């Protein structure tokens, strides 16, 4: 009896531990979902300054770039800066920052533009993305807010290229900006499939090459099989010799039937009559009728 109770206590304790473990897992997943770790990022996370279906459609062309950090080094100036760009996401982990500037010497991060203040302008093979509401300048551009312009251009040779620093325009009183460039095939227009004369000729050439290659394989392979395996000699080494002879005869008969307009007399041999019974009639000699 005591052993049975102990077994029951062990089973109850094990089941309680299993339930507790499952509850901890569910709670952990819930916390991750709330914190945004499992959240799916998209271009809808960008907040447009003015709601426009056209701008939203332009953003959707950049969907393959979402969730990726693009880094660029400023090699043009003497200052050592690193720029980080992310489409509709926290660049370098900075909240709401679409583009940040990292000063390596001072270990300082400056927000250039926020994806919560976005503009999107698109053409046939390019998209210009504008992030505004960045941190204010200290002494330039009348201390206005920084702004980032990312020029995304079509390049069919690369899926996603490298981020390049274009320039920083800050020698003005207003409308200063940081310009970046990025190449990708995501903004390239779809090529419509049209058969041109050149493509037709090219396709025909490929078909001819394939046909001649198969014919060569058939002839060489069949010849070797007939000679080595079957032991054929002479014209019988040709693969499927009997079939092609019969096919040639049938083709000739068909051509003769279609192309000739006048009915041809059949020879006795073709009608199946023996030629042995056909003998030349003896010449009539009228020598006896002549007077002596």
């Amino acid at each position: 009896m005591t052993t049975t109770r102990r077994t029951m206590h062990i089973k109850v304790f094990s089941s309680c531990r299993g339930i507790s473990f499952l509850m901890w897992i569910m709670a952990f997943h819930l916390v991750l979902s709330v914190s945004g770790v499992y959240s799916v990022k998209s271009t809808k996370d960008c907040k447009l300054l003015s709601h426009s279906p056209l701008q939203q459609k332009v953003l959707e062309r950049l969907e393959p770039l979402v969730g990726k950090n693009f880094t660029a080094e400023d090699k043009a100036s003497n200052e050592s800066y690193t720029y980080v760009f992310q489409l509709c996401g926290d660049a370098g982990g900075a909240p709401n920052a679409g583009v940040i500037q990292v000063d390596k010497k001072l270990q300082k991060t400056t927000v250039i533009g926020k994806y919560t203040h976005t503009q999107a302008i698109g053409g046939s093979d390019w998209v210009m993305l504008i992030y505004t509401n960045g941190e204010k300048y200290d002494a330039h551009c009348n201390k206005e807010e920084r702004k980032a312009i990312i020029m995304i251009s079509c390049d069919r040779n690369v899926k996603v290229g490298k981020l390049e620093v274009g320039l920083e325009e800050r020698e003005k009183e207003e409308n200063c900006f940081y310009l970046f460039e990025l190449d990708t095939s995501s903004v390239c227009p779809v090529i419509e499939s049209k058969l041109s004369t050149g493509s037709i000729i090219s396709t025909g050439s490929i078909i001819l090459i394939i046909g001649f290659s198969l014919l060569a394989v058939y002839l060489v392979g069949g010849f070797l099989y007939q000679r080595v395996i079957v032991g054929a000699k002479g014209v019988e080494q040709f693969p499927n010799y009997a079939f092609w002879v019969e096919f040639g005869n049938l083709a000739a008969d068909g051509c003769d039937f279609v192309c000739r307009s006048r009915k041809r007399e059949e020879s006795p041999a073709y009608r199946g009559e023996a030629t042995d019974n056909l003998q030349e009639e003896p010449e009539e000699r009228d020598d006896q009728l002549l007077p002596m």
Side-chain angles (χ1 to χ4, degrees):
M1 188 69 176
T2 305
T3 305
T4 305
R5 289 181 179 179
R6 288 180 179 177
T7 305
M8 292 178 62
H9 284 303
I10 291 173
K11 290 182 178 180
V12 172
F13 179 73
S14 300
S15 61
C16 290
R17 288 185 61 184
I19 294 173
S20 177
F21 181 71
L22 291 175
M23 291 180 64
W24 274 107
I25 292 178
M26 293 175 64
F28 179 71
H29 282 276
L30 181 62
V31 170
L32 290 178
S33 300
V34 172
S35 62
V37 174
Y38 284 171
S39 60
V40 179
K41 297 181 180 180
S42 68
T43 53
K44 295 181 180 179
D45 295 334
C46 283
K47 306 300 180 183
L48 297 171
L49 293 178
S50 59
H51 181 70
S52 169
L54 181 59
Q55 292 192 48
Q56 190 63 48
K57 189 175 181 179
V58 171
L59 281 175
E60 290 175 357
R61 295 170 58 186
L62 304 175
E63 197 72 39
L65 307 181
V66 175
K68 300 177 181 178
N69 275 324
F70 299 92
T71 305
E73 300 287 340
D74 187 3
K75 300 178 181 179
S77 63
N78 296 327
E79 300 172 337
S80 180
Y81 290 135
T82 300
Y83 295 91
V84 182
F85 159 66
Q86 186 173 151
L87 178 67
C88 303
D90 299 337
N96 299 328
V99 178
I100 61 173
Q101 179 192 68
V102 180
D103 190 336
K104 294 183 178 180
K105 294 181 179 179
L106 302 177
Q107 296 295 319
K108 178 184 177 182
T109 299
T110 303
V111 177
I112 305 299
K114 297 181 179 179
Y115 64 85
T116 53
H117 295 71
T118 303
Q119 290 178 275
I121 304 172
S124 60
D125 59 351
W126 58 271
V127 171
M128 185 169 65
L129 194 66
I130 304 175
Y131 286 154
T132 60
N133 199 35
E135 296 184 23
K136 294 183 178 181
Y137 284 97
D138 296 330
H140 301 87
C141 304
N142 202 17
K143 297 184 179 181
E144 70 175 4
E145 294 176 344
R146 289 176 169 85
K147 176 173 60 178
I149 300 177
I150 303 95
M151 191 67 189
I152 305 174
S153 305
C154 166
D155 189 348
R156 299 186 185 276
N157 297 324
V158 294
K159 186 176 181 180
V160 180
K162 294 183 179 181
L163 183 68
E164 300 289 343
V165 180
L167 59 91
E168 178 187 1
E169 181 59 76
R170 62 180 185 180
E171 303 301 329
K172 299 190 301 182
E173 294 295 327
E174 59 183 7
N175 293 327
C176 298
F177 61 88
Y178 292 78
L179 178 63
F180 303 91
E181 298 176 359
L182 180 65
D183 293 336
T184 177
S185 59
S186 302
V187 296
C188 295
V190 178
I191 300 177
E192 297 181 0
S193 178
K194 294 182 179 179
L195 290 177
S196 60
T197 305
S199 63
I200 293 175
I201 294 175
S202 178
T203 304
S205 302
I206 294 174
I207 293 175
L208 288 176
I209 292 173
I210 295 174
F212 282 118
S213 300
L214 293 176
L215 180 61
V217 171
Y218 168 74
L219 292 176
V220 175
F223 174 82
L224 293 176
Y225 176 81
Q226 291 291 108
R227 184 177 182 84
V228 177
I229 305 300
V230 180
K233 302 292 182 180
V235 294
E236 293 182 355
Q237 297 176 93
F238 192 86
N240 304 110
Y241 173 75
F243 167 77
W244 291 115
V245 169
E246 184 68 20
F247 178 79
N249 292 335
L250 293 176
D253 292 343
C255 181
D256 186 35
F257 176 78
V258 173
C259 299
R260 289 184 180 273
S261 59
R262 184 169 57 88
K263 186 175 181 181
R264 185 181 63 175
E265 294 183 0
E266 296 178 350
S267 63
Y270 192 80
R271 292 196 301 265
E273 298 179 3
T275 57
D276 297 338
N277 299 328
L278 298 177
Q279 299 179 356
E280 295 183 359
E281 297 180 357
E283 296 181 0
E284 296 182 357
R285 298 182 178 273
D286 53 356
D287 295 341
Q288 299 177 1
L289 301 178
L290 294 176
M292 296 301 294

